[in-house]
Amino acid sequence: MSDLPDEKRLSRGRPWSLVALLIFLLALMADLAWHIAPELLERRHYQLALDLPSPVELASLPMATRFDFPIGTEHGTLAYNAQPFTTNSHLGDDLNGIGGENSDLGDPVFAVADGRVLFAREGGPGWGKIVIVLHAYRENGLRNYVQSYYAHLETILVRPGELLRRGQQIGTVGTGGGKYLAHLHFEMREFVTPFVGAGYRKETRGWLNPEEFLRAHRGAPDEDVGRPQVE
Ligand SMILES: [Zn+2]
């Protein structure tokens, strides 16, 4: 311990803590700029997709009364989950046709519920084409919002702003631009703003377990077949 009176010790320490604080703030700003810049620069080109939905748009969203699985049958059969949520810090489910390998390439991908397309375009390296749909649904008497997120698509059949019905085809299963064996990377998110983000992260706050969410919000008996089966 130092023998210096408290006051002296403090004044001695202060310049260093100020420098440390300055370095920290500079690093923080540089880091923020580094991460936000791509979104800000792209914003001009894709304004519609990246805009925050207005309160009117949110209020006008149709209420989704039930949720279906996005590929295979609406009950989740004829599809399997090759990399479930949180496995290897995965933020979604990797859904495949039961034929394996590339047998599901070009298979239809369906909107899991009524909603509005927020985002439909190329998502960048590793992502391929992405569609993000915003849904309103009721839980415990409250109106909630949830996003369904479909990635690695081969084709996109919908446009930002378009209203979708449950079971409507939004695109086809792809390989993320030839990067993977064909599969659908599928996420459910609690955000209302559309963004691409990362496919893997330890911190999962804001992300839901997709398969669990769909099973909990089926709102339909399992024998109720509402859409054509995939061959
Ligand atoms: Zn994935």
Side-chain angles (χ1 to χ4, degrees):
M1 285 296 286
S2 161
D3 307 318
L4 291 167
D6 275 357
E7 211 175 308
K8 260 211 171 137
R9 234 190 297 159
L10 274 176
S11 62
R12 254 190 173 186
R14 199 170 293 143
W16 287 112
S17 49
L18 263 178
V19 169
L21 183 68
L22 262 172
I23 290 172
F24 171 77
L25 284 176
L26 279 172
L28 186 71
M29 277 157 62
D31 185 64
L32 270 175
W34 176 259
H35 283 98
I36 289 172
E39 288 297 312
L40 291 180
L41 293 174
E42 279 187 21
R43 201 183 161 82
R44 256 167 276 145
H45 304 291
Y46 305 104
Q47 202 167 2
L48 182 60
L50 287 167
D51 267 350
L52 183 73
S54 71
V56 174
E57 278 176 302
L58 284 179
S60 68
L61 267 179
M63 188 70 88
T65 50
R66 56 180 263 195
F67 285 78
D68 295 341
F69 280 79
I71 66 168
T73 70
E74 57 187 71
H75 314 298
T77 56
L78 293 184
Y80 72 94
N81 193 350
Q83 188 175 224
F85 182 64
T86 68
T87 302
N88 306 318
S89 305
H90 196 220
L91 288 172
D93 287 338
D94 282 344
L95 302 177
N96 287 258
I98 50 173
E101 303 255 301
N102 271 331
S103 62
D104 47 0
L105 180 63
D107 275 0
V109 175
F110 304 101
V112 294
D114 292 357
R116 187 190 296 276
V117 180
L118 293 180
F119 184 102
R121 64 170 170 95
E122 183 62 43
W127 278 117
K129 297 185 174 75
I130 296 179
V131 170
I132 305 177
V133 182
L134 183 64
H135 312 277
Y137 70 105
R138 192 173 295 284
E139 189 149 80
N140 303 321
L142 291 173
R143 186 175 164 94
N144 281 335
Y145 298 97
V146 72
Q147 282 178 0
S148 55
Y149 181 106
Y150 313 78
H152 308 333
L153 298 174
E154 185 184 41
T155 53
I156 290 178
L157 302 172
V158 293
R159 281 168 292 114
E162 195 175 332
L163 272 176
L164 298 181
R165 302 306 309 269
R166 174 180 55 83
Q168 186 174 335
Q169 191 180 347
I170 57 152
T172 55
V173 173
T175 58
K179 216 171 172 214
Y180 319 99
L181 285 173
H183 72 276
L184 175 70
H185 173 96
F186 177 71
E187 296 181 14
M188 301 284 306
R189 301 174 167 188
E190 292 179 304
F191 310 105
V192 292
T193 40
F195 63 93
V196 176
Y200 295 85
R201 190 190 306 144
K202 275 237 149 25
E203 172 60 61
T204 60
R205 209 176 327 157
W207 276 259
L208 300 165
N209 181 324
E211 194 172 341
E212 232 175 66
F213 181 92
L214 294 180
R215 293 209 185 283
H217 297 84
R218 283 291 292 119
D222 276 354
E223 65 275 17
D224 176 18
V225 176
R227 85 177 175 225
Q229 309 262 309
V230 180
E231 298 298 313

